[in-house]
Amino acid sequence: MKDDIDFGTTDIKILFRKMLYPTVASMVFTALFIIIDGIFVGRGVGSDALAAVNIVAPVWLFATSIGLMFGMGGAVTVSVNMARGKQETARKNMTQAIAVSSVFLLICTVLILVYVDKVLMLLGCSPRLYAPAKDYIWGFVPFMTINALLCSTQFFIRLDASPRYAMTANVIATVLNIIFDYLFIFIFRWGIFGAAIATSLGSVVGVAIMLRYLSKTSNQIHFVPLKITRKSLSSTVRNTVQVCKIGFSSFLCEITIAAMMLCGNYVFMSYTGEPGVAAFSIACYFFPIIFMLYSSIAQSAQPIISYNYGVSYFPRVHSAFKIALKTAVICGVLFFVATSVLSAPITSLFINSDDAAYNISVSGLPLFAAGMIPFAINIISIGYFQSVERVKSAMFVTIMRGFVFIIGAFLTVPVFFGVPGIWLSVPVGETITTLLVLVIYAVTRYKEKHRQTVALQA
């Protein structure tokens, strides 16, 4: 299922479309699953179950953030080495990224299950939500490593000129998730535990398909044996540090969503109680979906940008970035308009109109959607910085966005505007981040022009 793709010579627009369509299609199916999962949980179990999922969501996002970090960081490293003709080094980088991330998450799995009560306390779980939240953790956490692999393996398969294969594996996983959701929630009556198991089993099948591809030695990118020697372990540590440095911003982007959910849960709980958390959970079902779409646009541009950066074809690098940014902004406008106009129908998908959380959600979603356009600019910009190995810029923007601007907004904006201010906290944080990104672009452009002027004068 390989596509006719040459990252160094194919027209940028054609190349971007070939990468984008299957990548976005894959994300659309994943988004479809997340939405249907939320609908099944809300309709089949209740609004408290939705709130419980939102309480536990940071754990799920932690696993996917590890997958994104090793996927993006590994893909950039592999792309650059491939562009420079170091095929065996590229394969070794990919194998190390998969192995190290899996071992790390297996350790985390054991720790979370041993200290599950303390984890729920840290997540701000109320006594009323404790039982369903614990059920969800026991259904999901044992498969944390699998969910991370579903994220990371796609990067390497797309890099091997097979984006349609990655899409197919994701589609199969998503369809199975939906089928299992219906069976476990409505037929077997397993409640929220069934929803977690459905997600996990679908992911197992998707990962099995991905790993099968990466195990074939006939593919350009495939697993290679890793030696357990002092020299090999030293190489693994060195390469892992490099991969993590490059991909750390992807990790932080996902973690900031977890931080946003955690902070939002605390603030909504203090202002409105469980109904507010349930309403916020509807927005939180959509926010990771929006992030996934923007991330898929960045991921489509990543191999093009990284490869051409590796061989110093900078006009192609800039062209790919501009196309990705334009695409994401258009999507941001559409998301903003759709969410603002359809807030009531969207809420009705998850809960009934007589639920206490209904009006809170209907009035809040349009405010929350105001951040979709700056969010698009921020994610594509961070992805660009990663793709050209501008690690410090990517990390700085990500940290300021997630741990200063958004959390700072959650702590201040509601003080002045009450519950509407909680919904506006994320848009405020995203807008400030966009201003920071524009400053970085302006400074970089000024420095480049200054260097060119000095060179001409010399």
Side-chain angles (χ1 to χ4, degrees):
M1 203 179 290
K2 282 188 180 293
D3 298 316
D4 183 20
I5 290 174
D6 187 325
F7 293 116
T9 59
T10 305
D11 180 78
I12 292 294
K13 290 183 180 179
I14 296 173
L15 188 56
F16 182 72
R17 285 197 297 268
K18 285 186 175 183
M19 297 298 295
L20 180 67
Y21 292 157
T23 304
V24 169
S26 176
M27 292 297 179
V28 165
F29 272 90
T30 302
L32 179 65
F33 157 67
I34 293 174
I35 292 172
I36 292 178
D37 181 73
I39 293 170
F40 282 168
V41 170
R43 292 288 183 174
V45 189
S47 62
D48 275 2
L50 274 178
V53 171
N54 213 49
I55 291 290
V56 178
V59 178
W60 182 81
L61 289 167
F62 170 75
T64 56
S65 69
I66 295 296
L68 282 174
M69 178 172 69
F70 280 89
M72 174 63 92
V76 172
T77 304
V78 171
S79 296
V80 172
N81 281 321
M82 285 177 62
R84 294 170 180 171
K86 300 177 180 179
Q87 305 297 333
E88 197 60 28
T89 300
R91 292 168 189 147
K92 186 178 179 181
N93 291 153
M94 185 273 292
T95 306
Q96 290 169 334
I98 296 294
V100 172
S101 61
S102 297
V103 170
F104 174 73
L105 279 172
L106 286 172
I107 295 171
C108 291
T109 297
V110 174
L111 292 174
I112 291 171
L113 293 179
V114 170
Y115 298 104
V116 62
D117 292 333
K118 292 183 178 179
V119 170
L120 286 173
M121 183 179 69
L122 289 173
L123 293 173
C125 187
S126 68
R128 174 173 158 181
L129 301 178
Y130 180 83
K134 190 171 184 178
D135 283 345
Y136 196 80
I137 278 187
W138 279 104
F140 160 71
V141 169
F143 298 90
M144 248 189 356
T145 304
I146 297 297
N147 282 274
L149 287 174
L150 192 62
C151 294
S152 60
T153 50
Q154 296 180 55
F155 283 87
F156 303 112
I157 292 174
R158 282 195 288 265
L159 193 56
D160 198 44
S162 297
R164 287 184 296 165
Y165 188 97
M167 176 194 73
T168 301
N170 240 335
V171 168
I172 292 172
T174 299
V175 171
L176 289 175
N177 282 337
I178 294 172
I179 293 172
F180 289 145
D181 252 334
Y182 177 76
L183 288 174
F184 296 162
I185 293 176
F186 290 101
I187 304 300
F188 297 165
R189 299 291 179 181
W190 288 357
I192 197 170
F193 177 77
I197 290 293
T199 301
S200 302
L201 293 182
S203 298
V204 167
V205 176
V207 168
I209 296 171
M210 303 271 199
L211 294 180
R212 181 174 177 271
Y213 180 96
L214 294 173
S215 299
K216 290 183 177 180
T217 56
S218 57
N219 294 320
Q220 188 176 17
I221 298 177
H222 58 78
F223 290 123
V224 295
L226 296 177
K227 298 177 182 179
I228 308 178
T229 63
R230 193 172 188 177
K231 183 179 179 180
S232 179
L233 289 175
S234 176
S235 172
T236 298
V237 171
R238 185 171 59 253
N239 291 334
T240 298
V241 170
Q242 178 66 10
V243 165
C244 290
K245 280 176 63 178
I246 296 172
F248 192 62
S249 294
S250 291
F251 170 83
L252 287 177
C253 279
E254 195 81 357
I255 286 296
T256 55
I257 297 178
M260 178 204 77
M261 289 183 175
L262 187 61
C263 195
N265 287 337
Y266 271 106
V267 177
F268 267 107
M269 188 71 76
S270 64
Y271 275 75
T272 62
E274 284 84 358
V277 177
F280 184 53
S281 73
I282 296 174
C284 290
Y285 265 102
F286 282 93
F287 197 77
I289 292 169
I290 307 303
F291 170 74
M292 283 192 296
L293 179 61
Y294 294 158
S295 181
S296 70
I297 296 170
Q299 289 172 30
S300 300
Q302 178 271 314
I304 307 171
I305 293 173
S306 295
Y307 184 94
N308 287 283
Y309 171 76
V311 292
S312 300
Y313 293 163
F314 297 115
R316 290 175 62 82
V317 169
H318 297 148
S319 179
F321 168 64
K322 288 177 182 178
I323 293 173
L325 185 61
K326 181 180 178 180
T327 303
V329 169
I330 291 172
C331 291
V333 172
L334 294 176
F335 282 134
F336 169 66
V337 173
T339 307
S340 300
V341 173
L342 302 174
S343 63
I346 289 172
T347 302
S348 297
L349 289 173
F350 294 86
I351 53 179
N352 295 319
S353 58
D354 58 354
D355 195 292
Y358 182 86
N359 288 331
I360 301 174
S361 174
V362 171
S363 60
L365 284 178
L367 301 176
F368 189 80
M372 297 304 181
I373 299 172
F375 185 34
I377 297 171
N378 299 337
I379 296 302
I380 299 303
S381 299
I382 291 169
Y384 168 73
F385 292 144
Q386 290 176 288
S387 298
V388 297
E389 298 184 305
R390 289 178 58 181
V391 177
K392 290 182 180 179
S393 295
M395 200 175 300
F396 177 67
V397 172
T398 306
I399 290 173
M400 294 302 292
R401 169 183 170 264
F403 299 101
V404 178
F405 298 148
I406 290 180
I407 291 180
F410 266 121
L411 297 176
T412 57
V413 178
V415 174
F416 298 100
F417 299 101
V419 174
I422 309 177
W423 291 104
L424 285 170
S425 296
V426 173
V428 168
E430 295 290 357
T431 301
I432 297 173
T433 305
T434 299
L435 296 175
L436 174 63
V437 168
L438 293 176
V439 169
I440 292 174
Y441 285 144
V443 170
T444 302
R445 188 171 182 181
Y446 171 79
K447 288 181 177 179
E448 288 177 353
K449 286 186 175 181
H450 180 68
R451 281 196 297 267
Q452 291 172 0
T453 301
V454 171
L456 289 173
Q457 291 175 348

